[in-house]
């Protein structure tokens, strides 16, 4: 096969070709990606004279293109590695954030439970002593009057009763020993014996 130097020095061999034949040669060169006519003619002659199977000649800058492809492949590999590293970092950040959120949620729950526990512990329990007259005991006291005697307003009674899961009248009875009869508007003192009897009945 002719050397590259020979092909470069004898490029004008195409001057001896008929125009139509040269046009066919150019078409064949484009199909096989051959840039120089001398290179194309050498391949055709080798095939005709030596019976070789025609090969598709790659551009002369094949080596450069291969290098570029290798560079691109390296860049792609580097990009994939960078993406994978970023994905790992992202996953680590997500897991860390989830851990922080779980910890914060548990801290809020604990704080809420602690606050609720403290609030429940601060709720008055048991009988509160207060003074009242025989007239009060006979005529009865309204809820407002009864709350004023123990220095607790009705809203607090309702709120604390809810926190203790008690009926407001039951909680007020616990604090005062006064109870409102069915369909009555006023509260009356329940004697100690009556309280003991009511406790036995409830048991």
């Amino acid at each position: 096969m002719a050397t590259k130097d020979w092909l470069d020095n004898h490029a004008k061999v195409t001057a001896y070709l008929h125009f139509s034949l040269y046009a066919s040669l150019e078409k064949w060169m484009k199909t096989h990606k051959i840039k120089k006519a001398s290179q194309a003619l050498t391949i055709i002659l080798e095939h005709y004279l030596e019976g070789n199977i025609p090969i598709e000649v790659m551009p002369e800058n094949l080596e450069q293109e291969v290098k570029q492809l290798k560079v691109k492949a390296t860049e792609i590999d580097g990009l994939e590695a960078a993406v994978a590293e970023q994905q790992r970092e992202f996953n680590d950040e997500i897991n860390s954030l989830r851990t922080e959120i779980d910890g914060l949620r548990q801290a809020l729950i604990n704080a809420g439970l602690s606050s609720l526990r403290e609030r429940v512990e601060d709720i008055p329990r048991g009988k509160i002593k207060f003074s009242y007259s025989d007239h009060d005991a006979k005529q009865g006291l309204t809820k407002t009057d009864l709350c004023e005697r123990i220095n607790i307003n009705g809203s607090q009674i309702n709120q604390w009763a809810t926190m203790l899961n008690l009926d407001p009248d039951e909680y007020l009875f616990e604090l005062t020993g006064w109870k409102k009869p069915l369909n009555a508007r006023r509260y009356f003192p329940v004697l100690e014996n009556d309280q003991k009897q009511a406790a036995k009945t409830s048991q």
Side-chain angles (χ1 to χ4, degrees):
M1 182 175 179
T3 64
K4 184 177 184 301
D5 292 337
W6 187 92
L7 291 173
D8 291 339
N9 294 329
H10 296 79
K12 292 184 179 180
V13 69
T14 55
Y16 299 96
L17 297 177
H18 188 271
F19 178 77
S20 61
L21 183 60
Y22 183 71
S24 297
L25 178 62
E26 281 189 323
K27 183 177 180 181
W28 187 87
M29 289 169 60
K30 289 180 180 180
T31 302
H32 293 82
K33 299 180 180 179
I34 300 173
K35 291 184 177 181
K36 288 188 177 182
S38 57
Q39 193 175 17
L41 290 173
T42 300
I43 295 171
I44 293 173
L45 287 172
E46 284 182 346
H47 170 62
Y48 178 77
L49 297 176
E50 299 179 9
N52 295 329
I53 299 175
I55 60 174
E56 181 178 334
V57 179
M58 299 300 291
E60 291 181 349
N61 61 347
L62 173 62
E63 184 178 356
Q64 184 64 26
E65 290 190 3
V66 171
K67 289 182 179 179
Q68 290 179 357
L69 288 175
K70 288 182 178 179
V71 171
K72 290 181 179 179
T74 303
E75 291 176 352
I76 292 174
D77 292 340
L79 180 60
E80 289 179 348
V83 170
E85 180 63 24
Q86 290 180 355
Q87 183 66 36
R88 284 192 294 270
E89 292 178 357
F90 178 74
N91 290 338
D92 291 341
E93 290 179 1
I94 290 296
N95 292 333
S96 177
L97 183 59
R98 286 175 177 171
T99 301
E100 291 180 6
I101 291 175
D102 290 340
L104 179 60
R105 181 187 297 112
Q106 189 59 49
L108 290 174
I109 292 174
N110 293 339
L113 291 175
S114 177
S115 176
L116 180 60
R117 190 182 306 111
E118 291 176 358
R119 291 172 62 189
V120 171
E121 289 176 353
D122 290 339
I123 295 176
R125 301 300 302 269
K127 191 172 182 180
I128 299 175
K129 292 183 178 181
F130 66 96
S131 59
Y132 59 91
S133 64
D134 292 339
H135 178 75
D136 295 334
K138 184 176 181 180
Q139 296 295 325
L141 295 175
T142 63
K143 184 175 182 178
T144 301
D145 293 336
L146 194 56
C147 289
E148 288 179 354
R149 299 292 178 94
I150 60 175
N151 199 28
I152 299 175
N153 63 52
S155 297
Q156 286 179 316
I157 293 293
N158 294 336
Q159 181 181 356
W160 289 339
T162 300
M163 295 176 65
L164 296 173
N165 198 26
L166 294 174
D167 179 82
D169 284 344
E170 293 179 0
Y171 180 54
L172 189 57
F173 173 69
E174 177 185 322
L175 297 178
T176 64
W178 287 51
K179 196 171 241 183
K180 181 176 67 172
L182 187 64
N183 298 326
R185 293 187 176 183
R186 291 177 175 267
Y187 294 77
F188 298 88
V190 177
L191 298 178
E192 186 175 350
N193 290 336
D194 295 337
Q195 293 184 30
K196 291 180 180 179
Q197 185 62 36
K200 290 180 180 179
T201 304
S202 63
Q203 293 178 354

